[in-house]
Amino acid sequence: MTSYEKLLLENKAWAKEVEQEDPTFFKRLSALQTPEFLWIGCSDSRVPADKITGTQPGEIFVHRNIANMVVHTDVNLLSVLDYAVNHLKVRHVIVCGHYGCGGVKAAMGNQDFKPVLNMWLRNIKDVYHVHKTELDAIANEDDKTDRLVELNVKEQVSHLAQTSIIQRAWKNDNRPYLHGWVYGLKDGLIKPVMEVQPGAEIDPLYRYDDL
Ligand code: CO
């Protein structure tokens, strides 16, 4: 059996098991999804949103990219955010990074990853640049990476608050809460590093008045 055939076989077993435990599960979910959370995480295969939070299908709306970035010109991310906030009406948006992130590590180095990856990693380099003094003072490379992982998560949460999508939802619906979390590959635990309440003060430069 090939590796991908095993996936299909496992899928059959899983569907059967779920059906046996909860005969209306698929019927219910196929009719409606009402997730309370939007998860913006890293594409890293070791950080599956549902597994590490013990959630079931239907509970988390998910967007993942390299190093869990919120890039203002990323139509994919913004579409997911718009849909989650304005149509699914999620109450919480979580940006979850992880220690030892390969994307963050790559952005700290000088290797040429060729145009597209260079372009993506550039966004992380810019976060480093903002916190250069603090990060340059950390001698150990792993510690430096992990600190940048934390700072990057906070920066991406701030980017969320800077969008008109979030600001409009704050004004009209007093949600969503924004969360910055970091997952530990070594212990499986999530550390919250930031929380932003609806309507929080943000830098006036990024504030929209005519929402
Ligand atoms: Co990563």
Side-chain angles (χ1 to χ4, degrees), residues 42-44 46-47 65-68 97-104:
C42 183
S43 298
D44 194 303
R46 298 164 295 180
V47 196
N65 61 39
I66 292 174
N68 41 269
H98 64 101
Y99 293 119
C101 183
V104 170

Side-chain angles (χ1 to χ4, degrees), residues 30-196:
S30 62
L32 185 70
Q33 66 160 338
T34 53
E36 193 182 337
F37 309 97
L38 165 61
W39 177 276
I40 299 169
C42 183
S43 298
D44 194 303
S45 63
R46 298 164 295 180
V47 196
D50 54 350
K51 220 159 201 155
I52 65 174
T53 56
T55 45
Q56 299 299 315
E59 291 189 70
I60 306 189
F61 200 64
V62 173
H63 178 85
R64 289 168 72 178
N65 61 39
I66 292 174
N68 41 269
M69 303 300 287
V70 176
V71 177
H72 294 306
T73 50
D74 179 357
V75 177
N76 187 352
L77 176 278
L78 292 174
S79 304
V80 170
L81 182 67
D82 188 0
Y83 187 72
V85 170
N86 293 320
H87 295 267
L88 297 173
K89 306 203 177 293
V90 296
R91 295 203 59 78
H92 301 273
V93 180
I94 299 157
V95 176
C96 187
H98 64 101
Y99 293 119
C101 183
V104 170
K105 260 186 217 165
M108 283 168 53
N110 300 100
Q111 190 180 337
D112 174 13
F113 287 95
K114 304 292 176 301
V116 178
L117 270 178
N118 284 347
M119 201 170 85
W120 192 255
L121 298 177
R122 167 63 196 271
N123 296 298
I124 311 169
K125 283 184 187 285
D126 289 346
V127 178
Y128 189 108
H129 186 74
V130 172
H131 302 279
K132 197 173 187 311
T133 314
E134 179 187 343
L135 290 164
D136 279 354
I138 303 171
N140 181 287
E141 277 303 300
D142 290 340
D143 292 347
K144 194 187 290 222
T145 305
D146 288 350
R147 182 58 184 148
L148 180 54
V149 163
E150 291 177 353
L151 293 168
N152 185 49
V153 161
K154 290 186 186 183
E155 198 73 25
Q156 304 319 311
V157 170
S158 299
H159 287 176
L160 285 174
Q162 290 162 2
T163 64
S164 57
I165 296 170
I166 292 296
Q167 290 179 31
R168 192 175 294 112
W170 278 359
K171 189 182 173 205
N172 298 332
D173 218 9
N174 202 36
R175 63 167 182 86
Y177 289 75
L178 308 180
H179 307 265
W181 292 357
V182 180
Y183 173 76
L185 293 174
K186 290 176 182 163
D187 59 11
L189 295 173
I190 292 169
K191 176 181 166 188
V193 294
M194 189 179 188
E195 188 181 322
V196 182

Side-chain angles (χ1 to χ4, degrees), residues 1-10:
M1 195 192 314
T2 64
S3 55
Y4 73 88
E5 283 170 338
K6 186 166 182 292
L7 298 187
L8 295 170
L9 198 68
E10 287 292 343

